[in-house]
Amino acid sequence: MHVPEDAIEERFLAASGPGGQNVNKVATACQLRCDVFKLGLHPETWRRLKVIAGSRLSTSGELIITARRYRTQEANRADARDRLMEMLAKAEEREARRVKTKPSKSARAKRVDAKKGRGVVKAARAKVRLD
């Protein structure tokens, strides 16, 4: 899927975690914001994307991905874009339809026999009544 550049906005911010002075001085983390409405997704794809994105999707339809895995801006930028593409590709996959199946006659008979057998075992555990 192709994502138009006007649907994406990138900001670079200071990353947290290890890295020493580099983390304090350089804004290496990338926050990618994608306006999902500009993508023109199919309603089913949109529904699946909402589930996949979860809390990363804002109420205004912005998908927010923060990448801070790497120490360079470019690597984090590429990582954020890759994650966006993976998410969109996953949302485009259709779920396999479930084919209803019936158990065979012999399978139903075996199930009933097993239930009767368990019932006999449980009945044998009951207190003996002297009627």
Side-chain angles (χ1 to χ4, degrees):
M1 169 178 218
H2 174 71
V3 179
E5 283 299 317
D6 67 323
I8 294 176
E9 179 190 330
E10 293 172 334
R11 291 185 192 147
F12 294 97
L13 25 119
S16 59
Q21 269 187 329
N22 191 54
V23 165
N24 300 331
K25 291 192 303 184
V26 185
T28 55
C30 178
Q31 186 180 62
L32 184 135
R33 291 171 173 265
C34 179
D35 188 354
V36 181
F37 296 126
K38 287 185 180 177
L39 300 178
L41 298 174
H42 187 272
E44 277 298 305
T45 307
W46 164 244
R47 184 188 60 77
R48 286 190 292 267
L49 182 64
K50 282 198 302 190
V51 172
I52 292 166
S55 63
R56 290 174 287 201
L57 190 65
S58 69
T59 53
S60 62
E62 263 192 335
L63 180 61
I64 302 165
I65 298 172
T66 306
R68 54 169 61 106
R69 244 182 254 175
Y70 302 104
R71 290 182 65 153
T72 63
Q73 265 188 7
E74 279 306 309
N76 282 327
R77 182 175 187 249
D79 182 41
R81 285 177 177 251
D82 289 345
R83 284 166 45 194
L84 172 67
M85 295 309 288
E86 284 172 19
M87 215 177 278
L88 292 173
K90 201 176 216 181
E92 283 185 339
E93 288 176 12
R94 284 189 172 171
E95 295 134 7
R97 274 207 170 149
R98 184 185 180 282
V99 178
K100 291 183 179 179
T101 58
K102 283 185 180 178
S104 63
K105 271 189 179 180
S106 64
R108 286 196 300 255
K110 282 180 189 175
R111 181 175 164 272
V112 170
D113 290 343
K115 285 170 77 71
K116 284 183 180 175
R118 292 302 302 158
V120 169
V121 169
K122 289 181 178 186
R125 292 186 196 141
K127 285 188 177 179
V128 178
R129 292 186 359 205
L130 302 171
D131 287 343

